[in-house]
Amino acid sequence: IKGARPLGIFGDSVTTDHISPAGSIKAASPAGKYLIANGVAAGEFNSYGSRRGNDRVMTRGTFANVRIKNLMVAGTEGGVTRWFGPAGQSEVLPIYDASMRYQDAGVPLIVLAGQEYGTGSSRDWAAKGTALLGVKAVVAQSFERIHRSNLVGMGVLPLQFKDGVTAQTLRLNGAETFDVLGLSENVKPQQDLALRITRQDGKIEELPVTCRIDTPIEIDYYRHGGILPFVLRQLVSKA
């Protein structure tokens, strides 16, 4: 994971409903615009929960909760972020739109968060949507147990800050780029890796983080890019 841009910097207790809401779809949201473009009237949008079989809607709905607060865009609520271009330019965009720009440019993404990231009810789309947005790693102070496991199952790397370290103590504003150092085929459960931060002014610092792939089978899932590729390759190898 090299040259990653942050898609969001969040505080404590970000729930699975913040990450993948089940509520109503707003007409002005990326999901609402997609449905309108496909001939669905606003009165027939229904909810994200009712459209969870549609990956196009659910990916656009990831991080789209109207109450989520991205610290990269201070003073706002809802699924927006600040996109940074290769020449240092920036623009406030819906999270989905920024993700598409980054993915088109081949830029990997990360999410940074505080305590108990992914708390609340287990919601598979909270991990699936994160992966489909191009997020390669989530760096948090701590994780809710099931969501952490779901992230690994989708091929997203959970990393944990050491005690006392937060996005706030590091004074991160979203203009940084990030590299994950020490990640290899031989990665072990809960081993230390390094997070290299390159500031907008070119200053570089490295800090240790804990790899929260917690078990040997999760290592296998992650090495294959997630649980589904792992299972498919197991089946193919036995055919």
Side-chain angles (χ1 to χ4, degrees):
I1 302 173
K2 296 181 179 179
R5 287 282 190 181
L7 191 59
I9 300 176
F10 303 108
D12 296 335
S13 300
V14 172
T15 69
T16 50
D17 190 66
H18 284 121
I19 303 167
S20 184
S24 61
I25 300 170
K26 307 301 182 185
S29 69
K33 291 177 180 178
Y34 171 79
L35 289 170
I36 289 170
N38 282 276
V40 180
E44 298 175 350
F45 280 2
N46 212 316
S47 66
Y48 288 109
S50 71
R51 293 192 178 270
R52 65 195 305 274
N54 187 323
D55 64 290
R56 307 299 175 90
V57 171
M58 297 303 289
T59 303
R60 286 166 171 81
T62 304
F63 297 110
N65 186 299
V66 295
R67 292 289 174 250
I68 197 169
K69 294 180 180 179
N70 186 351
L71 303 179
M72 289 172 59
V73 191
T76 65
E77 286 186 331
V80 295
T81 192
R82 187 172 295 278
W83 168 83
F84 289 90
Q89 73 273 36
S90 71
E91 183 180 350
V92 175
L93 294 172
I95 280 179
Y96 175 81
D97 294 349
S99 162
M100 292 301 104
R101 284 195 189 181
Y102 283 129
Q103 291 195 66
D104 287 347
V107 177
L109 298 170
I110 69 166
V111 165
L112 300 117
Q115 298 276 4
E116 285 299 307
Y117 182 80
T119 192
S121 61
S122 175
R123 191 165 295 175
D124 56 352
W125 264 108
K128 289 195 286 189
T130 297
L132 289 170
L133 285 176
V135 175
K136 303 301 182 186
V138 176
V139 190
Q141 288 175 260
S142 64
F143 291 89
E144 191 279 331
R145 178 180 60 86
I146 296 174
H147 184 62
R148 180 208 60 78
S149 180
N150 287 347
L151 287 172
V152 176
M154 290 295 107
V156 179
L157 179 67
L159 299 172
Q160 189 163 314
F161 288 120
K162 297 296 184 179
D163 288 347
V165 179
T166 70
Q168 288 70 46
T169 63
L170 293 169
R171 294 184 174 87
L172 302 178
N173 62 18
E176 304 83 6
T177 59
F178 297 83
D179 305 321
V180 178
L181 309 178
L183 189 61
S184 72
E185 285 287 316
N186 300 317
V187 65
K188 300 290 191 297
Q190 296 194 353
Q191 79 170 66
D192 275 2
L193 301 173
L195 186 67
R196 175 190 287 157
I197 304 168
T198 302
R199 309 270 181 181
Q200 199 169 26
D201 61 7
K203 291 182 180 177
I204 296 174
E205 58 189 287
E206 292 182 12
L207 61 146
V209 289
T210 303
C211 172
R212 285 302 312 277
I213 303 177
D214 288 356
T215 65
I217 189 61
E218 287 184 344
I219 292 287
D220 288 338
Y221 295 159
Y222 183 74
R223 287 178 64 245
H224 283 266
I227 191 168
L228 184 57
F230 172 79
V231 171
L232 290 174
R233 286 172 182 146
Q234 290 274 319
L235 293 172
V236 169
S237 69
K238 294 174 181 177

